[in-house]
Amino acid sequence: MSKKIELKLFVVNPKQHEQLIQEFEKSLADNFEKDYVFEVIDVLSAPEKAMENQVFATPMLMREFPEPVQKILVDIARLKDVFLTISDANDAEII
């Protein structure tokens, strides 16, 4: 049984990291089948979304569901490593 997960990735110029972002989304698809939501937000094109979510530095990966909401300042090249940290709903709070 797969668990649902909802993620947002806040970046500047997502086209620059397109291949890494696609690889990350493939990992999501492999692990969550169709039970995930992944949104990439270019903070220069949509600064209001960054403000609404209190994102003040990029790249920031935010897990909205399952709760608690977690925000992690990430190295785009290490997105797959970060995935392991945020994918488990039973994880302790990330410091």
Side-chain angles (χ1 to χ4, degrees), residues 20-33 36 79-81 83:
L20 294 169
I21 292 170
Q22 287 175 353
E23 288 173 13
F24 180 70
E25 189 159 15
K26 183 181 181 327
S27 292
L28 287 173
D30 290 347
N31 286 279
F32 292 94
E33 298 173 0
Y36 72 93
L79 268 176
K80 284 185 177 182
D81 297 333
F83 171 75

Side-chain angles (χ1 to χ4, degrees), residues 5-52:
I5 192 166
E6 295 179 17
L7 302 170
K8 290 182 181 179
L9 177 64
F10 295 87
V11 294
V12 174
N13 191 9
K15 292 278 185 201
Q16 180 181 352
H17 308 289
E18 191 170 9
Q19 182 178 352
L20 294 169
I21 292 170
Q22 287 175 353
E23 288 173 13
F24 180 70
E25 189 159 15
K26 183 181 181 327
S27 292
L28 287 173
D30 290 347
N31 286 279
F32 292 94
E33 298 173 0
K34 295 181 181 183
D35 210 11
Y36 72 93
V37 176
F38 178 58
E39 181 180 4
V40 177
I41 299 164
D42 182 348
V43 298
L44 295 179
S45 298
E48 68 283 353
K49 288 188 177 187
M51 294 298 290
E52 288 170 13

